[in-house]
Amino acid sequence: MDDKMDFFENGDYRLITNLINDRMEKLKKYKGFNEKYAKLYDMIDEMDVLLNDEQKQKFNEIMQLFYETEEYYFALSYSLGVKYGNDLKNL
């Protein structure tokens, strides 16, 4: 199997998520991000109050799937940054 696929298949991509989560406080210093981050979690909390039990279960499953797919996005973004980082400086 191709090494790039192994990265996703063997679970190593989650190391990138941990790296990002460890540095989240630095990202929260940026006003635009922090406003969106806070609003997102406020809305998630609001939905949790408004939904009935069956809807909450589905909503929680949606959120879990969102977080799990986000890990793949983080890893892909990181690997693209490593691969094309120098090229991006020239844009």
Coordinates of all heavy atoms in Angstrom, one line a residue:
M1 N 0.8 -1.2 0.0 CA 0.0 0.0 0.0 C 0.9 1.2 0.0 O 1.9 1.3 0.6 CB -0.9 0.0 1.2 CG -1.9 1.1 1.2 SD -3.1 1.1 2.6 CE -4.1 -0.2 2.1
D2 N 0.4 2.3 -0.6 CA 1.1 3.5 -0.7 C 1.3 4.2 0.7 O 0.4 4.1 1.5 CB 0.3 4.5 -1.6 CG 0.9 5.8 -1.8 OD1 1.9 5.9 -2.6 OD2 0.5 6.7 -1.2
D3 N 2.5 4.7 0.9 CA 2.8 5.3 2.2 C 1.8 6.4 2.6 O 1.4 6.6 3.8 CB 4.2 5.9 2.3 CG 5.2 4.9 2.4 OD1 4.9 3.8 2.8 OD2 6.4 5.2 2.0
K4 N 1.3 7.2 1.6 CA 0.4 8.2 1.9 C -0.9 7.7 2.4 O -1.6 8.2 3.3 CB 0.1 9.1 0.7 CG 1.4 9.9 0.3 CD 1.2 10.7 -0.9 CE 2.5 11.3 -1.3 NZ 2.7 11.7 -2.6
M5 N -1.4 6.5 1.9 CA -2.6 5.9 2.4 C -2.4 5.3 3.8 O -3.3 5.3 4.6 CB -3.0 4.8 1.4 CG -3.5 5.4 0.1 SD -4.9 6.5 0.3 CE -6.2 5.4 1.0
D6 N -1.2 4.8 4.0 CA -0.9 4.2 5.3 C -1.1 5.3 6.4 O -1.5 5.0 7.5 CB 0.6 3.7 5.4 CG 0.8 2.4 4.6 OD1 -0.3 1.8 4.3 OD2 1.9 2.0 4.4
F7 N -0.7 6.5 6.1 CA -0.9 7.6 7.1 C -2.3 7.7 7.6 O -2.5 7.9 8.8 CB -0.4 8.9 6.4 CG -0.5 10.1 7.3 CD1 0.4 10.3 8.3 CD2 -1.5 11.1 7.1 CE1 0.4 11.4 9.1 CE2 -1.5 12.2 7.9 CZ -0.6 12.4 8.9
F8 N -3.2 7.6 6.7 CA -4.6 7.6 7.1 C -5.2 6.3 7.6 O -6.0 6.2 8.5 CB -5.5 8.1 5.9 CG -5.3 9.6 5.6 CD1 -4.5 10.0 4.5 CD2 -5.9 10.5 6.4 CE1 -4.3 11.3 4.2 CE2 -5.7 11.9 6.1 CZ -4.9 12.3 5.0
E9 N -4.7 5.2 7.0 CA -5.2 3.9 7.3 C -4.7 3.4 8.7 O -5.4 2.8 9.4 CB -4.7 2.8 6.3 CG -5.3 3.0 4.9 CD -6.8 2.8 4.9 OE1 -7.3 2.0 5.7 OE2 -7.5 3.5 4.1
N10 N -3.5 3.8 9.1 CA -3.0 3.3 10.4 C -3.3 4.2 11.6 O -2.9 3.9 12.7 CB -1.5 3.0 10.3 CG -0.6 4.3 10.2 OD1 -1.1 5.4 10.4 ND2 0.6 4.1 9.8
G11 N -4.0 5.3 11.3 CA -4.4 6.2 12.4 C -3.4 7.3 12.8 O -3.7 8.1 13.7
D12 N -2.3 7.3 12.1 CA -1.3 8.4 12.4 C -1.8 9.8 12.2 O -1.2 10.7 12.8 CB 0.0 8.2 11.6 CG 0.9 7.0 12.2 OD1 0.6 6.5 13.3 OD2 1.8 6.6 11.5
Y13 N -2.8 9.9 11.3 CA -3.3 11.3 11.0 C -3.8 11.9 12.3 O -3.8 13.2 12.4 CB -4.4 11.2 10.0 CG -5.7 10.5 10.5 CD1 -6.7 11.2 11.0 CD2 -5.8 9.1 10.4 CE1 -7.8 10.6 11.5 CE2 -6.9 8.5 10.8 CZ -8.0 9.3 11.4 OH -9.1 8.6 11.8
R14 N -4.2 11.1 13.3 CA -4.7 11.7 14.6 C -3.6 12.5 15.3 O -3.9 13.3 16.2 CB -5.3 10.6 15.4 CG -6.6 10.1 14.9 CD -7.3 9.1 15.8 NE -8.5 8.7 15.3 CZ -8.8 7.5 14.8 NH1 -7.9 6.6 14.9 NH2 -10.0 7.2 14.3
L15 N -2.3 12.2 15.1 CA -1.3 12.9 15.7 C -1.3 14.4 15.3 O -1.0 15.3 16.1 CB 0.1 12.3 15.3 CG 0.4 10.9 15.7 CD1 1.6 10.4 15.1 CD2 0.4 10.8 17.2
I16 N -1.8 14.7 14.1 CA -1.9 16.1 13.6 C -3.0 16.7 14.4 O -2.9 17.9 14.9 CB -2.2 16.1 12.1 CG1 -1.2 15.4 11.3 CG2 -2.4 17.6 11.7 CD1 0.2 15.9 11.4
T17 N -4.1 16.0 14.7 CA -5.2 16.6 15.4 C -4.7 17.0 16.8 O -5.1 18.0 17.4 CB -6.4 15.6 15.5 OG1 -6.9 15.4 14.2 CG2 -7.5 16.1 16.4
N18 N -4.0 16.1 17.4 CA -3.4 16.4 18.8 C -2.5 17.6 18.8 O -2.6 18.4 19.7 CB -2.7 15.1 19.3 CG -3.6 14.0 19.6 OD1 -4.8 14.1 19.8 ND2 -3.1 12.8 19.6
L19 N -1.7 17.7 17.7 CA -0.8 18.8 17.6 C -1.6 20.1 17.5 O -1.3 21.1 18.1 CB 0.1 18.6 16.4 CG 1.1 19.7 16.0 CD1 2.2 19.7 17.1 CD2 1.6 19.5 14.6
I20 N -2.7 20.1 16.7 CA -3.5 21.3 16.5 C -4.2 21.6 17.8 O -4.3 22.8 18.2 CB -4.5 21.1 15.4 CG1 -3.8 21.0 14.0 CG2 -5.6 22.1 15.4 CD1 -4.5 20.6 12.9
N21 N -4.8 20.6 18.5 CA -5.5 20.9 19.7 C -4.6 21.4 20.8 O -5.0 22.3 21.6 CB -6.2 19.6 20.2 CG -7.4 19.2 19.4 OD1 -8.1 20.1 18.8 ND2 -7.8 18.0 19.3
D22 N -3.4 21.0 20.8 CA -2.4 21.5 21.8 C -2.1 23.0 21.6 O -1.7 23.7 22.5 CB -1.1 20.7 21.7 CG -1.3 19.3 22.3 OD1 -2.3 19.0 23.0 OD2 -0.3 18.5 22.0
R23 N -2.3 23.4 20.4 CA -2.0 24.8 20.1 C -3.2 25.7 19.8 O -3.2 26.8 19.3 CB -1.1 24.9 18.8 CG 0.3 24.4 19.2 CD 1.1 24.1 18.0 NE 2.5 23.7 18.3 CZ 2.8 22.5 18.7 NH1 1.9 21.5 18.9 NH2 4.1 22.2 19.0
M24 N -4.4 25.2 20.2 CA -5.6 25.9 20.0 C -5.7 27.3 20.7 O -6.3 28.2 20.2 CB -6.8 25.0 20.5 CG -8.2 25.6 20.1 SD -8.4 25.8 18.4 CE -8.7 24.1 17.9
E25 N -5.1 27.4 21.8 CA -5.1 28.7 22.6 C -4.4 29.8 21.7 O -4.9 30.9 21.8 CB -4.4 28.5 23.9 CG -5.2 27.7 24.9 CD -6.6 28.2 25.1 OE1 -6.8 29.4 25.3 OE2 -7.5 27.4 25.1
K26 N -3.4 29.4 21.0 CA -2.8 30.4 20.1 C -3.7 30.9 19.0 O -3.8 32.1 18.7 CB -1.5 29.9 19.5 CG -0.4 29.7 20.5 CD 0.9 29.1 19.8 CE 2.0 28.9 20.8 NZ 3.2 28.5 20.2
L27 N -4.5 30.0 18.5 CA -5.4 30.3 17.4 C -6.6 31.2 18.0 O -7.1 32.1 17.3 CB -6.0 29.0 16.8 CG -6.8 29.2 15.5 CD1 -6.0 29.9 14.4 CD2 -7.2 27.8 15.0
K28 N -7.0 30.9 19.2 CA -8.0 31.7 19.8 C -7.7 33.2 20.1 O -8.5 34.0 20.3 CB -8.5 31.0 21.1 CG -9.2 29.8 20.9 CD -9.6 29.2 22.3 CE -10.3 27.9 22.2 NZ -10.7 27.3 23.5
K29 N -6.4 33.5 20.0 CA -6.0 34.9 20.1 C -6.4 35.8 18.9 O -6.4 37.0 19.0 CB -4.5 35.0 20.3 CG -4.0 34.4 21.6 CD -2.5 34.5 21.7 CE -2.0 33.8 23.0 NZ -0.6 33.8 23.2
Y30 N -6.8 35.1 17.8 CA -7.2 35.9 16.7 C -8.7 36.1 16.7 O -9.5 35.2 16.9 CB -6.9 35.1 15.4 CG -5.4 35.0 15.2 CD1 -4.7 33.8 15.5 CD2 -4.6 36.0 14.7 CE1 -3.3 33.7 15.4 CE2 -3.2 35.9 14.5 CZ -2.6 34.8 14.9 OH -1.3 34.7 14.8
K31 N -9.1 37.4 16.7 CA -10.4 37.8 17.0 C -11.4 37.1 16.1 O -12.5 36.6 16.6 CB -10.5 39.3 16.8 CG -11.9 39.9 17.1 CD -11.9 41.4 17.0 CE -13.4 41.9 17.2 NZ -13.5 43.3 17.0
G32 N -11.2 37.1 14.8 CA -12.1 36.5 13.8 C -12.4 35.0 14.1 O -13.6 34.6 14.2
F33 N -11.3 34.3 14.4 CA -11.5 32.9 14.7 C -12.2 32.7 16.0 O -13.2 31.9 16.2 CB -10.1 32.2 14.8 CG -10.3 30.8 15.3 CD1 -10.6 29.7 14.4 CD2 -10.1 30.5 16.6 CE1 -10.8 28.4 14.9 CE2 -10.2 29.2 17.1 CZ -10.6 28.1 16.2
N34 N -11.8 33.4 17.0 CA -12.4 33.3 18.4 C -13.9 33.6 18.4 O -14.6 32.9 19.1 CB -11.6 34.2 19.4 CG -11.9 33.7 20.8 OD1 -11.8 32.5 21.1 ND2 -12.1 34.6 21.7
E35 N -14.3 34.6 17.7 CA -15.7 35.0 17.6 C -16.5 33.8 17.0 O -17.6 33.4 17.5 CB -15.9 36.2 16.8 CG -15.5 37.5 17.5 CD -15.5 38.7 16.6 OE1 -15.7 38.6 15.4 OE2 -15.3 39.8 17.1
K36 N -16.0 33.2 15.9 CA -16.7 32.1 15.2 C -16.7 30.9 16.1 O -17.7 30.2 16.2 CB -16.0 31.8 13.9 CG -16.4 32.9 12.8 CD -15.6 32.6 11.6 CE -15.8 33.7 10.5 NZ -15.7 35.0 10.8
Y37 N -15.6 30.6 16.8 CA -15.4 29.5 17.6 C -16.4 29.6 18.8 O -17.2 28.6 19.1 CB -14.0 29.4 18.2 CG -13.7 28.2 19.0 CD1 -13.3 27.0 18.4 CD2 -13.7 28.3 20.4 CE1 -12.9 25.9 19.2 CE2 -13.4 27.2 21.2 CZ -13.0 26.0 20.6 OH -12.7 24.9 21.4
A38 N -16.5 30.7 19.4 CA -17.4 30.9 20.5 C -18.9 30.8 20.1 O -19.7 30.2 20.8 CB -17.1 32.3 21.2
K39 N -19.2 31.4 19.0 CA -20.6 31.4 18.5 C -21.0 29.9 18.1 O -22.1 29.5 18.4 CB -20.7 32.2 17.2 CG -22.1 32.3 16.7 CD -22.3 33.3 15.6 CE -23.7 33.3 15.1 NZ -23.9 34.3 14.0
L40 N -20.1 29.2 17.5 CA -20.3 27.8 17.2 C -20.7 27.0 18.4 O -21.7 26.3 18.5 CB -19.1 27.2 16.5 CG -19.2 25.7 16.2 CD1 -20.3 25.3 15.2 CD2 -17.9 25.2 15.7
Y41 N -19.9 27.1 19.5 CA -20.1 26.3 20.7 C -21.3 26.8 21.4 O -22.0 26.1 22.1 CB -18.9 26.2 21.5 CG -18.0 25.2 20.9 CD1 -17.0 25.5 20.0 CD2 -18.2 23.8 21.2 CE1 -16.2 24.5 19.4 CE2 -17.4 22.8 20.6 CZ -16.4 23.2 19.7 OH -15.7 22.2 19.1
D42 N -21.6 28.1 21.4 CA -22.9 28.6 22.0 C -24.1 28.1 21.3 O -25.1 27.7 21.9 CB -22.9 30.2 21.9 CG -22.0 30.9 22.9 OD1 -21.4 30.2 23.8 OD2 -21.7 32.1 22.7
M43 N -24.0 28.0 19.9 CA -25.1 27.4 19.2 C -25.3 25.9 19.4 O -26.4 25.4 19.5 CB -25.0 27.7 17.7 CG -25.1 29.2 17.4 SD -24.9 29.6 15.7 CE -26.4 29.1 15.0
I44 N -24.2 25.2 19.6 CA -24.3 23.8 19.9 C -24.9 23.6 21.2 O -25.8 22.7 21.4 CB -22.8 23.2 19.9 CG1 -22.3 23.1 18.4 CG2 -22.8 21.8 20.5 CD1 -20.9 22.7 18.3
D45 N -24.6 24.4 22.2 CA -25.2 24.3 23.5 C -26.7 24.6 23.5 O -27.5 24.0 24.1 CB -24.5 25.3 24.5 CG -23.1 24.8 24.9 OD1 -22.8 23.6 24.7 OD2 -22.3 25.6 25.4
E46 N -27.0 25.6 22.7 CA -28.4 26.0 22.5 C -29.2 24.9 21.9 O -30.3 24.6 22.3 CB -28.5 27.3 21.7 CG -29.9 27.8 21.5 CD -30.0 29.0 20.6 OE1 -29.0 29.8 20.6 OE2 -31.1 29.3 20.0
M47 N -28.7 24.2 20.9 CA -29.3 23.1 20.2 C -29.6 22.0 21.2 O -30.6 21.3 21.2 CB -28.5 22.6 19.0 CG -28.4 23.5 17.8 SD -30.0 23.8 17.0 CE -30.4 22.2 16.4
D48 N -28.6 21.7 22.1 CA -28.7 20.7 23.0 C -29.9 20.9 24.0 O -30.6 19.9 24.4 CB -27.4 20.6 23.8 CG -27.4 19.3 24.7 OD1 -27.6 18.2 24.1 OD2 -27.1 19.4 25.9
V49 N -30.2 22.1 24.2 CA -31.4 22.5 25.1 C -32.7 22.3 24.4 O -33.7 21.9 24.9 CB -31.2 23.9 25.7 CG1 -32.5 24.3 26.4 CG2 -30.0 24.0 26.6
L50 N -32.7 22.7 23.1 CA -33.9 22.8 22.3 C -34.4 21.4 21.8 O -35.6 21.2 21.5 CB -33.8 23.7 21.1 CG -33.5 25.2 21.5 CD1 -33.2 26.0 20.2 CD2 -34.7 25.8 22.2
L51 N -33.5 20.5 21.6 CA -33.9 19.2 21.0 C -34.5 18.2 21.9 O -34.1 18.2 23.1 CB -32.6 18.6 20.3 CG -32.0 19.4 19.2 CD1 -30.7 18.8 18.7 CD2 -32.9 19.7 18.0
N52 N -35.4 17.4 21.4 CA -35.8 16.3 22.2 C -34.8 15.2 22.3 O -33.8 15.3 21.6 CB -37.2 15.7 21.7 CG -37.1 15.1 20.4 OD1 -36.2 14.4 20.1 ND2 -38.1 15.3 19.6
D53 N -35.0 14.1 23.1 CA -34.0 13.1 23.3 C -33.5 12.4 22.0 O -32.3 12.2 21.7 CB -34.5 12.0 24.3 CG -34.5 12.6 25.7 OD1 -33.9 13.6 25.9 OD2 -35.2 12.0 26.5
E54 N -34.5 12.1 21.1 CA -34.1 11.4 19.8 C -33.3 12.4 19.0 O -32.3 12.0 18.3 CB -35.4 10.9 19.1 CG -35.1 10.2 17.8 CD -36.4 9.7 17.1 OE1 -37.4 9.6 17.8 OE2 -36.3 9.5 15.9
Q55 N -33.7 13.6 18.9 CA -33.0 14.6 18.1 C -31.6 14.9 18.7 O -30.7 15.0 17.9 CB -33.8 15.9 18.0 CG -35.1 15.8 17.2 CD -36.0 17.0 17.4 OE1 -36.0 17.6 18.5 NE2 -36.7 17.4 16.3
K56 N -31.5 14.9 20.0 CA -30.2 15.1 20.6 C -29.3 13.9 20.2 O -28.1 14.2 20.0 CB -30.3 15.1 22.1 CG -30.8 16.4 22.7 CD -30.9 16.4 24.2 CE -31.5 17.6 24.7 NZ -31.5 17.7 26.2
Q57 N -29.8 12.7 20.2 CA -28.9 11.6 19.9 C -28.4 11.7 18.5 O -27.2 11.5 18.2 CB -29.7 10.3 20.0 CG -28.9 9.0 19.8 CD -29.8 7.8 20.0 OE1 -30.9 7.8 20.4 NE2 -29.2 6.7 19.7
K58 N -29.3 12.1 17.5 CA -28.9 12.3 16.1 C -27.9 13.5 16.0 O -26.9 13.4 15.3 CB -30.1 12.5 15.2 CG -30.9 11.2 15.0 CD -32.0 11.5 14.1 CE -32.8 10.2 13.9 NZ -33.9 10.3 13.0
F59 N -28.2 14.5 16.7 CA -27.3 15.7 16.7 C -25.9 15.4 17.2 O -24.9 15.7 16.6 CB -28.0 16.9 17.5 CG -27.1 18.1 17.5 CD1 -27.0 18.9 16.3 CD2 -26.5 18.5 18.6 CE1 -26.3 20.0 16.3 CE2 -25.7 19.7 18.6 CZ -25.6 20.4 17.5
N60 N -25.9 14.6 18.3 CA -24.6 14.2 18.9 C -23.8 13.3 17.9 O -22.6 13.4 17.8 CB -24.8 13.5 20.2 CG -25.2 14.5 21.3 OD1 -24.9 15.7 21.2 ND2 -25.9 14.0 22.3
E61 N -24.6 12.5 17.2 CA -23.9 11.6 16.2 C -23.3 12.5 15.1 O -22.2 12.2 14.6 CB -24.9 10.6 15.7 CG -24.2 9.6 14.8 CD -25.2 8.5 14.3 OE1 -26.3 8.4 14.8 OE2 -24.8 7.7 13.4
I62 N -24.1 13.5 14.7 CA -23.6 14.4 13.6 C -22.4 15.1 14.1 O -21.4 15.2 13.3 CB -24.7 15.4 13.2 CG1 -25.8 14.7 12.5 CG2 -24.1 16.6 12.4 CD1 -27.1 15.6 12.3
M63 N -22.4 15.6 15.3 CA -21.2 16.3 15.8 C -20.0 15.4 15.9 O -18.9 15.8 15.6 CB -21.5 16.9 17.2 CG -22.6 18.0 17.2 SD -22.1 19.4 16.0 CE -20.6 19.9 16.7
Q64 N -20.2 14.1 16.4 CA -19.1 13.2 16.5 C -18.5 12.9 15.1 O -17.3 12.9 14.9 CB -19.6 11.9 17.1 CG -18.5 10.9 17.3 CD -17.4 11.4 18.3 OE1 -17.7 12.1 19.3 NE2 -16.2 11.1 18.0
L65 N -19.4 12.7 14.1 CA -18.9 12.5 12.7 C -18.1 13.7 12.2 O -17.1 13.6 11.5 CB -20.1 12.1 11.8 CG -20.6 10.7 12.0 CD1 -22.0 10.6 11.3 CD2 -19.7 9.7 11.6
F66 N -18.6 14.9 12.5 CA -18.0 16.1 12.1 C -16.6 16.2 12.7 O -15.6 16.4 12.0 CB -18.8 17.3 12.6 CG -18.1 18.7 12.4 CD1 -18.1 19.2 11.1 CD2 -17.4 19.3 13.4 CE1 -17.5 20.4 10.9 CE2 -16.8 20.5 13.2 CZ -16.8 21.1 11.9
Y67 N -16.4 15.9 14.0 CA -15.1 15.9 14.6 C -14.2 14.8 14.0 O -13.0 15.1 13.8 CB -15.2 15.7 16.1 CG -15.9 16.8 16.9 CD1 -16.8 16.5 17.8 CD2 -15.6 18.1 16.6 CE1 -17.5 17.6 18.5 CE2 -16.2 19.2 17.3 CZ -17.1 18.9 18.2 OH -17.8 19.9 18.9
E68 N -14.7 13.7 13.7 CA -13.9 12.6 13.2 C -13.4 12.9 11.8 O -12.3 12.7 11.4 CB -14.6 11.3 13.2 CG -14.8 10.8 14.6 CD -15.7 9.5 14.7 OE1 -16.1 9.0 13.7 OE2 -16.0 9.1 15.9
T69 N -14.3 13.5 10.9 CA -13.9 13.9 9.6 C -12.9 15.1 9.6 O -12.0 15.2 8.8 CB -15.1 14.2 8.7 OG1 -15.9 15.2 9.2 CG2 -15.9 12.9 8.4
E70 N -13.1 16.0 10.6 CA -12.2 17.1 10.7 C -10.8 16.6 10.9 O -9.8 17.3 10.5 CB -12.7 17.9 11.9 CG -12.1 19.3 12.0 CD -12.7 20.1 13.2 OE1 -12.7 19.6 14.3 OE2 -13.2 21.2 12.9
E71 N -10.6 15.5 11.6 CA -9.2 15.0 11.8 C -8.5 14.7 10.5 O -7.4 15.0 10.3 CB -9.2 13.7 12.7 CG -9.6 14.0 14.1 CD -9.7 12.7 14.9 OE1 -9.9 11.6 14.3 OE2 -9.5 12.8 16.1
Y72 N -9.3 14.2 9.5 CA -8.8 13.9 8.2 C -8.4 15.3 7.5 O -7.4 15.4 6.8 CB -9.7 13.2 7.3 CG -9.9 11.7 7.7 CD1 -10.9 11.3 8.6 CD2 -9.1 10.7 7.2 CE1 -11.0 10.0 9.0 CE2 -9.2 9.4 7.6 CZ -10.2 9.0 8.5 OH -10.3 7.7 8.8
Y73 N -9.3 16.3 7.6 CA -9.0 17.6 7.0 C -7.7 18.2 7.6 O -6.9 18.7 6.9 CB -10.1 18.6 7.2 CG -11.4 18.2 6.6 CD1 -12.6 18.4 7.3 CD2 -11.5 17.6 5.3 CE1 -13.9 18.1 6.7 CE2 -12.7 17.3 4.7 CZ -13.9 17.5 5.4 OH -15.1 17.2 4.9
F74 N -7.5 18.1 8.9 CA -6.3 18.6 9.5 C -5.1 17.9 9.0 O -4.1 18.6 8.6 CB -6.4 18.4 11.1 CG -7.3 19.2 11.8 CD1 -7.7 18.8 13.1 CD2 -7.8 20.4 11.3 CE1 -8.6 19.6 13.8 CE2 -8.7 21.2 12.1 CZ -9.1 20.8 13.3
A75 N -5.2 16.6 8.9 CA -4.0 15.9 8.4 C -3.7 16.2 7.0 O -2.5 16.3 6.6 CB -4.2 14.4 8.6
L76 N -4.7 16.3 6.2 CA -4.5 16.6 4.7 C -4.0 18.0 4.6 O -3.0 18.2 3.8 CB -5.8 16.5 4.0 CG -5.8 16.8 2.5 CD1 -4.8 15.9 1.7 CD2 -7.2 16.8 1.9
S77 N -4.5 18.9 5.3 CA -4.0 20.3 5.3 C -2.5 20.4 5.7 O -1.7 21.1 5.1 CB -4.8 21.2 6.2 OG -6.1 21.3 5.8
Y78 N -2.2 19.7 6.8 CA -0.8 19.7 7.3 C 0.1 19.1 6.2 O 1.1 19.6 5.9 CB -0.7 18.9 8.6 CG 0.6 18.8 9.1 CD1 1.1 19.8 9.9 CD2 1.5 17.7 8.9 CE1 2.4 19.8 10.4 CE2 2.7 17.6 9.4 CZ 3.2 18.7 10.2 OH 4.5 18.6 10.7
S79 N -0.3 17.9 5.6 CA 0.6 17.3 4.7 C 0.7 18.1 3.4 O 1.8 18.2 2.8 CB 0.1 15.9 4.3 OG -1.2 15.9 3.7
L80 N -0.3 18.8 3.0 CA -0.2 19.7 1.9 C 0.7 20.9 2.2 O 1.5 21.3 1.3 CB -1.6 20.2 1.4 CG -2.5 19.2 0.7 CD1 -3.9 19.7 0.5 CD2 -1.9 18.7 -0.6
G81 N 0.6 21.4 3.4 CA 1.5 22.5 3.8 C 2.9 22.1 3.8 O 3.8 22.8 3.4
V82 N 3.2 20.9 4.3 CA 4.6 20.4 4.3 C 5.1 20.2 2.8 O 6.2 20.6 2.5 CB 4.7 19.0 5.0 CG1 6.0 18.3 4.8 CG2 4.4 19.2 6.5
K83 N 4.2 19.7 2.0 CA 4.6 19.4 0.6 C 4.8 20.7 -0.2 O 5.7 20.8 -1.0 CB 3.6 18.5 -0.1 CG 4.0 18.1 -1.5 CD 3.0 17.1 -2.1 CE 3.5 16.7 -3.4 NZ 2.7 15.6 -4.0
Y84 N 3.8 21.6 0.0 CA 3.8 22.8 -0.9 C 4.1 24.1 -0.1 O 4.0 25.2 -0.7 CB 2.4 23.0 -1.5 CG 2.1 21.8 -2.4 CD1 1.1 20.9 -2.1 CD2 2.7 21.6 -3.7 CE1 0.8 19.8 -2.9 CE2 2.4 20.6 -4.5 CZ 1.5 19.7 -4.1 OH 1.2 18.6 -4.9
G85 N 4.6 24.0 1.1 CA 4.9 25.2 1.9 C 5.7 26.2 1.2 O 5.4 27.4 1.2
N86 N 6.8 25.8 0.6 CA 7.7 26.7 0.0 C 7.1 27.4 -1.2 O 7.3 28.5 -1.5 CB 9.1 26.1 -0.4 CG 9.9 25.8 0.8 OD1 9.8 26.5 1.8 ND2 10.7 24.8 0.8
D87 N 6.3 26.6 -2.0 CA 5.6 27.1 -3.1 C 4.6 28.2 -2.7 O 4.4 29.2 -3.5 CB 4.9 26.0 -3.9 CG 5.9 25.0 -4.5 OD1 7.0 25.4 -4.8 OD2 5.4 23.9 -4.8
L88 N 3.9 28.0 -1.6 CA 2.9 29.0 -1.2 C 3.6 30.3 -0.9 O 2.9 31.4 -1.0 CB 2.2 28.5 0.1 CG 1.3 27.2 -0.1 CD1 0.8 26.7 1.2 CD2 0.2 27.6 -1.1
K89 N 4.8 30.3 -0.4 CA 5.5 31.6 -0.2 C 5.7 32.4 -1.4 O 5.8 33.6 -1.4 CB 6.9 31.3 0.4 CG 6.8 30.8 1.8 CD 8.3 30.5 2.3 CE 8.2 29.7 3.6 NZ 9.6 29.3 4.1
N90 N 5.7 31.8 -2.6 CA 5.9 32.5 -3.8 C 4.7 33.0 -4.5 O 4.7 33.7 -5.5 CB 6.6 31.5 -4.8 CG 8.0 31.1 -4.4 OD1 8.7 31.9 -3.8 ND2 8.4 29.8 -4.6
L91 N 3.5 32.7 -3.9 CA 2.3 33.2 -4.5 C 2.0 34.7 -4.2 O 2.4 35.3 -3.3 CB 1.1 32.4 -3.9 CG 1.0 31.0 -4.3 CD1 -0.2 30.3 -3.7 CD2 0.9 30.8 -5.8

